[in-house]
Amino acid sequence: MACPVRAQTTAYSPDSGRTPNQIVLMVPVTASVGGRCGFADGGAPDGSYHQDNFDETGLQHQFAFMLDCTGPSRVAVVSQNGGMLTPGAAPAGYATKAPYDVTLHLVGNGGATTATATCAADTLPVGAGCSFLGPASTSQGLRLASASTLQSGSYLSVSAPPYSGAAALVTGTYSDVLTVTLSASP
């Protein structure tokens, strides 16, 4: 709460012969610094990944990013399709959506604090149930309990073994879009 500063008595000049000629005025000053939390310049998760014949070989790729958060933070992910999807209808015995996993790994300053979780992509559309489902907020997303200011080592990983679903995948190009968000988490 801000209060005006004022003395409770009057000071006189030393040559006036009156006292007091000095007043000690104590002015308490307080300030705070709000937390800063974002992706470092040039350090936001970005890129694309293409794997031919992923149904036979599987897939594995990491997207590195760097946080710039002066306190605890939360990172969250949303999947556009809940799996890798190809357009069109699937004939009987075939599928147009392939499952995969998303791993989120966060590293705090000095690497002493980390947070890691993995969810199936089908739990990442809005309304599903992954522990780091986005968008991020002060209470939603994978929480890193310490500051991470320009610390390397954080990443989002996508992976899947060779496809062995009950239905074969139709020929096509499969894709998904992951959206990563970040929030301070006091």
Side-chain angles (χ1 to χ4, degrees), residues 148-175:
S148 183
T149 51
L150 310 178
Q151 175 70 47
S152 62
S154 294
Y155 62 83
L156 178 137
S157 171
V158 294
S159 63
Y163 183 74
S164 62
L169 294 172
V170 297
T171 300
T173 299
Y174 288 73
S175 66

Side-chain angles (χ1 to χ4, degrees), residues 4-70:
V5 174
R6 62 181 144 197
Q8 296 179 359
T9 188
T10 304
Y12 299 96
S13 67
D15 62 343
S16 70
R18 299 178 76 187
T19 58
N21 63 8
Q22 176 183 4
I23 299 172
V24 175
L25 180 60
M26 296 178 70
V27 179
V29 177
T30 59
S32 64
V33 174
R36 175 185 80 239
C37 193
F39 291 109
D41 288 342
D46 189 28
S48 61
Y49 173 67
H50 179 81
Q51 173 68 48
D52 288 331
N53 302 319
F54 73 91
D55 60 325
E56 296 173 5
T57 61
L59 62 95
Q60 176 68 45
H61 189 74
Q62 287 184 359
F63 299 90
F65 58 90
M66 194 177 300
L67 302 176
D68 189 10
C69 296
T70 59

Side-chain angles (χ1 to χ4, degrees), residues 32-128:
S32 64
V33 174
R36 175 185 80 239
C37 193
F39 291 109
D41 288 342
D46 189 28
S48 61
Y49 173 67
H50 179 81
Q51 173 68 48
D52 288 331
N53 302 319
F54 73 91
D55 60 325
E56 296 173 5
T57 61
L59 62 95
Q60 176 68 45
H61 189 74
Q62 287 184 359
F63 299 90
F65 58 90
M66 194 177 300
L67 302 176
D68 189 10
C69 296
T70 59
S73 59
R74 289 189 183 264
V75 178
V77 179
V78 173
S79 166
Q80 182 178 37
N81 299 324
M84 290 182 291
L85 185 67
T86 193
Y94 289 86
T96 58
K97 187 189 285 188
Y100 70 99
D101 290 331
V102 177
T103 299
L104 195 54
H105 180 76
L106 310 176
V107 177
N109 287 346
T113 305
T114 61
T116 304
T118 300
C119 293
D122 66 355
T123 65
L124 289 170
V126 174

